């Protein structure tokens, strides 16, 4: 199975400041079709997960442009340009390149 | 609008069985794989199982293989997860997730399964 490792596991951020979360996979996430199926999800307290970013850097419908994704191969990053109070929650990276699909441990974003 | 509504969760004793349902609407059900993902209390997300659009292909996480069975009924636009020989570590919120790209774009609200004596 592909292991997804996120850092940090907790991130206190001041509103208006940037935040960054890293995700590393134990093997390349490039699929045979040339795409890299790495997604980022946000889970607010008491809510189901919500897709933010797919295929490394594509924002899903309705996701604010302060969220961006980057990376390649085995190393990926989610950036929030200016954190807002509503961004509080847990963020997960997830790979759907190879079954079984696997998630990172989650990074808890907290407001200072 | 895509909607996924899970039901069937509850309290069950170790060794018992439970069947979860996920009613889908807002899309052509037979076109899409369907998945179950679970989240233990205070824990992260774990993929459990998926089934192809025509029901001919299934896959399971090692932790549930041989105990859980995924199925679907196209006439009812519903996917099921039959869970047998339940253990304490199966306690979780179970989410139904639509397949297709981008993935995983659509999630249900989840149904809580508690395995305890």
């Amino acid at each position: 199975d592909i292991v997804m490792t996120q850092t940090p596991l907790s991130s206190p951020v001041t509103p208006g400041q940037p935040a960054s979360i890293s995700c590393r996979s134990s093997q390349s996430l490039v699929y045979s079709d040339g795409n890299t199926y790495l997604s980022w999800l946000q889970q607010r307290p008491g809510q189901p997960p919500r897709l933010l970013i797919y295929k490394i850097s594509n924002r899903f419908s309705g996701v604010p442009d302060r969220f961006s994704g980057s990376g390649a191969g085995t190393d990926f990053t989610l950036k929030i340009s200016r954190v807002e109070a509503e961004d509080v929650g847990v963020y997960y990276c997830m790979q759907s390149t190879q079954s079984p699909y696997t998630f990172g441990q989650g990074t808890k974003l907290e407001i200072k | 609008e895509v909607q996924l509504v899970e039901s069937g969760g509850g309290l069950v004793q170790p060794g018992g069985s439970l069947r979860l349902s996920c009613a889908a609407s807002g899309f052509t059900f037979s076109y899409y794989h369907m998945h179950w993902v679970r989240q233990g209390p205070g824990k992260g997300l774990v993929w459990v199982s998926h089934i192809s659009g025509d029901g001919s292909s299934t896959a399971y996480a090692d932790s549930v293989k041989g105990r859980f069975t995924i199925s679907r009924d196209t006439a009812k636009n519903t996917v099921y997860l039959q869970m047998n020989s339940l253990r304490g570590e199966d306690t979780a919120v179970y989410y139904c997730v639509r397949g297709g790209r981008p993935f995983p774009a659509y999630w249900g609200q989840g149904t809580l399964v508690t395995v305890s004596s």
Side-chain angles (χ1 to χ4, degrees), chain A residues 1-4 24-30 73-74 76 98:
Chain A
D1 297 2
I2 297 177
V3 176
M4 306 296 288
R24 177 167 289 178
S25 57
S26 60
Q27 60 191 79
S28 173
L29 298 185
V30 180
T74 62
F76 309 93
Q98 180 184 113

Side-chain angles (χ1 to χ4, degrees), chain B residues 20-31:
Chain B
L20 306 183
S21 300
C22 169
S25 61
F27 61 98
T28 304
F29 184 65
S30 61
Y31 285 6

Side-chain angles (χ1 to χ4, degrees), chain A residues 1 37 39 41 43 46-51 54 60 92 94 96 99-101 103-105, chain B residues 35 37 39 43-47 50 59 61-62 95 101-109:
Chain A
D1 297 2
Y37 294 106
S39 302
L41 301 97
Q43 188 174 32
Q47 294 293 313
R50 166 197 179 199
L51 178 64
Y54 62 96
F60 187 55
Y92 296 92
M94 179 210 153
S96 54
S99 182
Y101 300 162
F103 297 84
Q105 321 94 299
Chain B
H35 300 252
V37 173
Q39 185 170 36
K43 298 194 174 179
L45 300 163
V46 177
W47 175 84
H50 92 259
D62 285 346
Y95 294 103
R101 303 296 183 186
F103 182 80
Y106 300 100
W107 296 67
Q109 288 296 313

Side-chain angles (χ1 to χ4, degrees), chain A residues 20-38:
Chain A
S20 180
I21 301 169
S22 295
C23 175
R24 177 167 289 178
S25 57
S26 60
Q27 60 191 79
S28 173
L29 298 185
V30 180
Y31 189 56
S32 55
D33 64 4
N35 289 307
T36 300
Y37 294 106
L38 183 282

